[in-house]
Structure formats: C-alpha cells, structure tokens
C-alpha cells in the first residue's frame, strides 16, 4: 500500500479562500495583534508567516515587538490595553518569551474572547465541556484535514502520542467530541508500539523525529504527523518514511499539519471577531 498524501497546504488554501469570503462580507475586517517578547529567530519567522497568511484572508494584523528589557508588568499592561481595545479581535503572545517572564501569567491575562491560541483556562474548560470557544490551532487543523479528506471519526481508535496542553490534550478533546475512542500516550507509556498498532488514526506529536516506524502502524491506518524538528538542517516529522508503505494516508512534513496551524490561527481570529460582534 502507498499512503495517500494529506496535503495540508491545499487544505489551508481552501480554508483561506473560505475565510477571505467570510471576511469580505464583514463591515470591518477582523484585527489580530501578535505580541513578541523573545529572541527566538524561529518564532519571529513564524509570526511573519502568520501575518502574511492573515493578509491573504483580509485580516488586519500587526506585531508588537518588545526588547529583552521588557518587564512582566510592561507586558501585562500591553495585554490589558489590547483587551480593552474594541478594535482588537485577536491577541496572540508568541512563545517562547524571554526567560525572566512568567508566560502562564501573561497568557492567562488575555481576554478569553480574544485568545486565538485557545490556551486560556476558560477556553480549555469550554473545549472539554463540549461548549463553543476558541480551540488551539494545531489540533483544530488536524480535525480540518480529516474533514477535508472525509475521513471517519465515529468509533475510530485514535492514539495520540504526546500529551502537551498545546497539541495532545486538546486533540484528545476534539476527537472525543467526534465520538472517537481516544488514547493519550506519552513518554512513560509502556510498550508504545503495542498501543499505536491498535490505532485507526495516529496523531504523532512527540517531537522525536522518525519515532513512529512502519512496524508501529496497523495496515490502513491514518497517520497525522505533528512533530517538527530540524535534523541536519532539514525539518523532520515524528513519522518515519517507511510508514507510507503501511498507512492508508499520511500528512507530509513539511506541508502537512504545519500550514494548517497557521491557517487555523487566522480562522480563530475571524471566529473571535464574529462572536464578539454578534
Ligand atoms: P512538548 O510540550 O515537548 O510535548 C511532547 C510530548 O511528547 C510530551 O507529552 C512527551 O511526554 C511526549 N513524548 C516525548 N517523547 C516521547 C516518546 N519517546 N514516546 C512517547 N511520548 C513522548 O511538545 P509540543 O509542544 O506538544 O510539540 C510536539 C511536537 O510538535 C514538536 O516537535 C513541535 O515542534 C511540534 N509542533 C508542530 C506544530 C505544527 O504545526 N505541526 C505545532 C505545534 C508543535 P511527557 O509528557 O511524558 O514528557
């Protein structure tokens, strides 16, 4: 079997076209503000790519960049001012922050209605209680890829490798809400291969390049590769190349889940704008 490639770039393009139409029908385009207070070059380029994509959907965006001398109080003041600004629909604090800053206090200060990263405890609670809210972009992107390719959720055994607040846990909530049977695995899981071999759908989100090998995958399984880490200067996923010979469908890295994450941040901004403006 040669797995079908689930093309995240294509799915993201379709989503952006839908969003551009939806934004075109709004009296004022949504506005997204990024807050960057860290010197990680990857996160700077990540923010730039989100800004470019936002522009394609007609979403206004800008980035507030802070120097290393920024204090916790400066950032909390900035968040309070963005919360109070009626013309701001989405706020995204790009991680990692400078080491002296307490990220969780800053993220928790964001108005949940503008929290386009979906990481505020209010949005986490809404997600787990099955109520509408803002959902973290990467797991929301996985769902969108599955929907785009009309892959089934109901009754599927879904094994998620990785239990972070950013990816694994919210992915579990989203698959569960669609009536899948979900297993969350992690670094202490005993005999991971025997767990993943049961799966109809594997979500690989451990950040361990190539860790999911063909012998860990049931024939015909769908494999969604979230992991991204540079290996000898090349971006590699958690899924080894030989998995394509066993699975029925896989996301490539790059070009799979990554573009969807960026697109879902823009989608969340549009969603937040509509919800706030009624
Ligand atoms: P994280 O916070 O470091 O979490 C990694 C998770 O993987 C942890 O739960 C960890 O288990 C688990 N894990 C690590 N090694 C394992 C192993 N050998 N076997 C089983 N589980 C293992 O990372 P994250 O923020 O969730 O990100 C995960 C990966 O996705 C990274 O490569 C990141 O760059 C990538 N990512 C990609 C996108 C995208 O758009 N594609 C978006 C976000 C993140 P413990 O909890 O036991 O430590």
């Amino acid at each position: 079997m040669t797995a079908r490639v689930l093309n995240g770039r294509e799915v993201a393009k379709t989503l952006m076209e839908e969003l551009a139409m939806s934004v075109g029908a709004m009296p004022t385009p949504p506005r997204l503000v990024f807050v960057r207070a860290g010197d990680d070059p990857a996160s700077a380029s990540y923010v730039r790519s989100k800004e470019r994509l936002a522009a394609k959907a007609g979403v206004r965006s800008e980035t507030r960049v802070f120097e290393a001398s920024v204090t916790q109080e400066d950032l909390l003041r900035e968040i309070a001012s963005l919360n109070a600004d009626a013309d701001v629909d989405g706020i995204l604090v790009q991680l990692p922050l400078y080491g002296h800053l307490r990220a969780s206090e800053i993220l928790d200060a964001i108005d949940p209605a503008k929290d386009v990263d979906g990481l505020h405890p209010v949005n986490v609670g809404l997600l787990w209680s099955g109520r509408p809210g803002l959902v973290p972009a990467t797991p929301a992107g996985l769902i969108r890829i599955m929907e785009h390719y009309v892959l089934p959720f109901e009754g599927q055994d879904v094994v998620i490798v990785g239990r972070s607040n950013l990816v694994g846990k919210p992915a579990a909530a989203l698959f569960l809400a669609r009536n899948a049977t979900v297993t969350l695995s992690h670094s202490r899981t005993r005999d991971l291969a025997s767990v993943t071999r049961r799966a109809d759908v594997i979500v690989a989100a451990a950040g361990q390049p190539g860790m999911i090998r063909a012998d860990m995958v049931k024939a015909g399984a769908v494999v969604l590769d979230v992991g991204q880490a540079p290996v000898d200067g090349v971006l590699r996923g958690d899924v080894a190349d030989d998995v394509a010979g066993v699975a029925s469908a896989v996301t490539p890295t790059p070009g799979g889940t990554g573009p969807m994450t960026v697109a879902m941040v823009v989608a969340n901004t549009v969603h937040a704008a509509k919800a706030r403006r009624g």
Side-chain angles (χ1 to χ4, degrees):
M1 180 181 287
T2 301
R4 178 181 193 184
V5 175
L6 305 175
N7 186 337
R9 288 200 181 105
E10 277 300 313
V11 185
K13 190 163 165 270
T14 307
L15 173 60
M16 296 312 292
E17 285 162 6
E18 283 173 28
L19 291 172
M21 282 184 37
S22 172
V23 168
M26 295 170 82
T28 321
R31 179 165 166 231
L32 169 61
V33 178
F34 297 99
V35 175
R36 193 159 67 72
D39 48 13
D40 176 30
S43 73
S45 97
Y46 202 41
V47 168
R48 279 196 298 275
S49 68
K50 286 175 188 163
E51 285 211 69
R52 273 197 301 273
L53 210 65
K56 280 193 183 158
V59 168
R60 295 173 290 158
S61 76
E62 67 201 59
T63 303
R64 310 266 165 100
V65 181
F66 291 84
E67 302 294 323
S69 56
V70 67
T71 65
Q72 185 80 5
E73 291 65 36
D74 292 335
L75 277 186
L76 289 172
R77 250 194 313 277
E78 179 68 21
I79 300 293
S81 133
L82 294 171
N83 284 343
D85 186 342
D87 190 40
V88 171
D89 298 294
I91 305 168
L92 194 153
V93 176
Q94 185 65 45
L95 301 177
L97 297 176
Y98 293 116
H100 65 279
L101 299 168
R102 297 184 299 282
S104 59
E105 187 188 1
I106 291 163
L107 296 179
D108 289 359
I110 297 172
D111 177 349
K114 300 186 178 188
D115 166 40
V116 291
D117 247 349
L119 295 174
H120 192 285
V122 167
N123 282 318
V124 176
L126 290 171
L127 174 62
W128 280 100
S129 48
R131 290 158 63 189
L134 291 164
V135 174
T138 303
L142 302 178
I143 300 298
R144 179 79 190 199
I145 290 174
M146 296 273 295
E147 287 172 349
H148 181 94
Y149 287 99
V150 201
L151 297 168
F153 291 95
E154 178 131 354
Q156 299 290 291
D157 271 319
V158 176
V159 171
I160 299 168
V161 185
R163 57 175 163 181
S164 70
N165 291 333
L166 189 66
V167 187
K169 286 183 204 161
L174 290 170
F175 279 100
L176 194 60
R178 286 159 180 78
N179 297 323
T181 303
V182 178
T183 303
L184 259 184
S185 64
H186 45 80
S187 67
R188 316 288 171 87
T189 297
R190 264 188 287 126
D191 193 3
L192 181 66
S194 74
V195 177
T196 56
R197 271 198 294 269
R198 288 202 318 261
D200 302 308
V201 178
I202 297 175
V203 175
Q208 304 290 328
M211 71 167 286
I212 304 294
R213 305 174 313 269
D215 64 330
M216 299 170 75
V217 177
K218 179 167 81 176
V222 171
V223 182
L224 305 175
D225 191 1
V226 176
Q228 290 184 343
V231 178
D232 301 329
V234 177
L235 197 66
R236 294 296 313 271
D238 285 353
V239 176
D241 294 341
D242 59 2
V243 169
V246 182
S248 62
V250 290
T251 57
T253 301
T257 59
M260 282 310 295
T261 295
V262 185
M264 292 311 299
V265 168
V266 181
N268 273 350
T269 306
V270 176
H271 181 71
K274 285 184 174 171
R276 287 184 56 252
R277 300 172 192 183

